[in-house]
Amino acid sequence: MSSSIDASAKPFSAKAFRAAAIRSGDLLFVSGQVGSCADGTPEPDFAAQVQLAFDNLKATLAAAGCTFEDLIDVTTFHTDPQNQFSTIMQVKQSLFPKPLYPNWTAIGVTWLAGFDFEIKVIARIPPKP
């Protein structure tokens, strides 16, 4: 059985008519999270946009009882990977300072609806104590 995670606090999710995440069994499939301002528009500063995307991801994970430690698979999308990589790695290293790291795939794209970075993940929902 599947259920969606409420996206009402996510302006971009609500505007895009999609669930922030879907729970299926003990897995959580999180839709792409972007670094949006409060009104849903892209944050213009790239480093801040990446940080906001991770902040939005953290909030979505928390709504399902997960943390970054529960991530199994990560896919990131980049509009200019070669020039953006060092900024993304700084944020990534602050959030994942030591192993065990999740699987990670980075994909260069030409369009992200005005954004320059997007992250989608699959997480394992921890059992309730």
Side-chain angles (χ1 to χ4, degrees), residues 26-112:
D26 67 345
L27 295 178
L28 184 70
F29 298 85
V30 181
S31 293
Q33 301 294 304
V34 293
S36 57
C37 299
D39 65 359
T41 60
E43 163 58 49
D45 177 75
F46 181 70
Q49 188 181 128
V50 172
Q51 185 62 57
L52 277 170
F54 276 99
D55 292 347
N56 289 338
L57 174 60
K58 183 178 181 179
T60 301
L61 290 168
C66 297
T67 69
F68 288 128
E69 291 179 5
D70 300 307
L71 296 182
I72 297 169
D73 189 63
V74 176
T75 304
T76 52
F77 303 90
H78 316 262
T79 57
D80 188 3
Q82 187 170 3
N83 292 315
Q84 297 167 339
F85 188 73
S86 63
T87 301
I88 295 163
M89 287 305 293
Q90 288 174 357
V91 175
K92 179 183 174 185
Q93 288 171 342
S94 72
L95 298 170
F96 304 95
K98 60 184 175 33
L100 182 66
Y101 304 114
N103 293 338
W104 200 296
T105 302
I107 301 170
V109 298
T110 59
W111 185 81
L112 289 172

